[in-house]
Amino acid sequence: MTVTQPRPLAAEITDILVAHCGLDADAAARAPAASLEELGMDSLALLELSAVVADRWQVSIPEQAGQLSIPAVADLVGRRADPPGHTENGVLIDAPIALVWAITNDVPNWTELFTEYAVVEILHRDGHLVRFRLTMHPDENGVAWSWVSERTADPVSRQVRAHRVETGPFEYMRIHWRYTEEAGGTRMTWTQDFAMKPTAPLDNAAMTERINTNSTIQLAVIKDRVERTARQHADQGRPAADDEPTEADDE
């Protein structure tokens, strides 16, 4: 599969300024850091730019845009047209919260819990903090994506906060896991906040859709595997898990 890289937004803004606002393309090329005002764009030119940007990307630009360079205008438009990603997905697991916590925070065994991870390598531990490398199974193009993440678990509040140390195509990726007891078991909720780099093959909206789709799949898998373990414990007459911190509580 061939991935077509999107045209740089700065080039599109330049084209608009040349076609609609009378910008001298050569002057812009000679002074890429110059403001629009320094490039000769007056208030009428900026109004025209605002109108075209609003029509094409449904984004408004401030009156002070004349003080910005073309790359700065492009960055402003890009961020307003593609706001940061945010997802929240959860699942109700028919199992005690101590067991759900212990299994889902046992990072070294994530290859047995998730279907997408091929290798988990623990790099560092310090109390409830763990830094580790995840490597996925190869995708349809044969690429095995890998990155380093860091998690800090709070076994008292039953919350985990994590972030990517090696961000790859992300500007940032932050994840918040929450565990709450409900009638019928334990609800585990994942909240992810992120932004994609301009060079990434997917924008924030597309990645949001991908994460929501994949989270639904993985949460269903985790629910099945944890509930299966809970039933095995019940059949054997064993407690599902102790409330005392274990090695899993350090992940």
Side-chain angles (χ1 to χ4, degrees), residues 32-226:
S35 69
L36 298 185
E37 291 178 350
E38 291 170 337
L39 292 172
M41 299 294 95
D42 58 18
S43 58
L44 291 177
L46 294 177
L47 284 174
E48 184 64 24
L49 172 64
S50 296
V52 176
V53 166
D55 180 66
R56 185 173 300 184
W57 290 288
Q58 291 74 56
V59 168
S60 61
I61 58 177
E63 296 179 359
Q64 298 81 5
Q67 301 170 17
L68 302 176
S69 66
I70 292 175
V73 172
D75 181 66
L76 176 66
V77 171
R79 292 184 181 278
R80 293 190 176 184
D82 187 27
H86 173 82
T87 65
E88 182 166 312
N89 294 277
V91 66
L92 182 62
I93 301 173
D94 185 9
I97 191 169
L99 180 65
V100 177
W101 174 269
I103 293 176
T104 58
N105 285 288
D106 187 7
V107 177
N109 286 319
W110 273 8
T111 54
E112 303 299 322
L113 184 64
F114 294 81
T115 62
E116 57 188 348
Y117 301 138
V119 180
V120 179
E121 179 186 2
I122 302 301
L123 304 176
H124 175 72
R125 287 183 184 274
D126 183 7
H128 295 303
L129 178 149
V130 59
R131 186 178 304 121
F132 54 98
R133 175 173 292 281
L134 285 175
T135 302
M136 301 183 74
H137 293 288
D139 63 15
E140 64 274 13
N141 299 312
V143 178
W145 297 96
S146 180
W147 65 91
V148 173
S149 288
E150 190 171 276
R151 291 166 56 85
T152 301
D154 182 350
V156 176
S157 67
R158 301 296 193 190
Q159 298 186 63
V160 182
R161 295 192 179 274
H163 66 277
R164 285 198 180 198
V165 177
E166 293 179 359
T167 58
F170 294 91
E171 291 279 4
Y172 62 88
M173 165 61 82
R174 295 189 288 268
I175 308 174
H176 182 200
W177 296 41
R178 304 191 307 278
Y179 301 76
T180 55
E181 293 181 287
E182 294 186 8
T186 302
R187 181 166 298 279
M188 183 175 67
T189 304
W190 295 343
T191 302
Q192 293 173 265
D193 291 286
F194 60 91
M196 307 304 296
K197 293 178 179 176
T199 55
L202 297 177
D203 61 14
N204 293 337
M207 182 56 73
T208 296
E209 181 178 359
R210 174 171 291 192
I211 289 174
N212 280 330
T213 299
N214 189 59
S215 293
T216 300
I217 295 170
Q218 295 303 316
L219 285 168
V221 170
I222 291 171
K223 172 182 171 68
D224 177 70
R225 294 180 176 178
V226 174

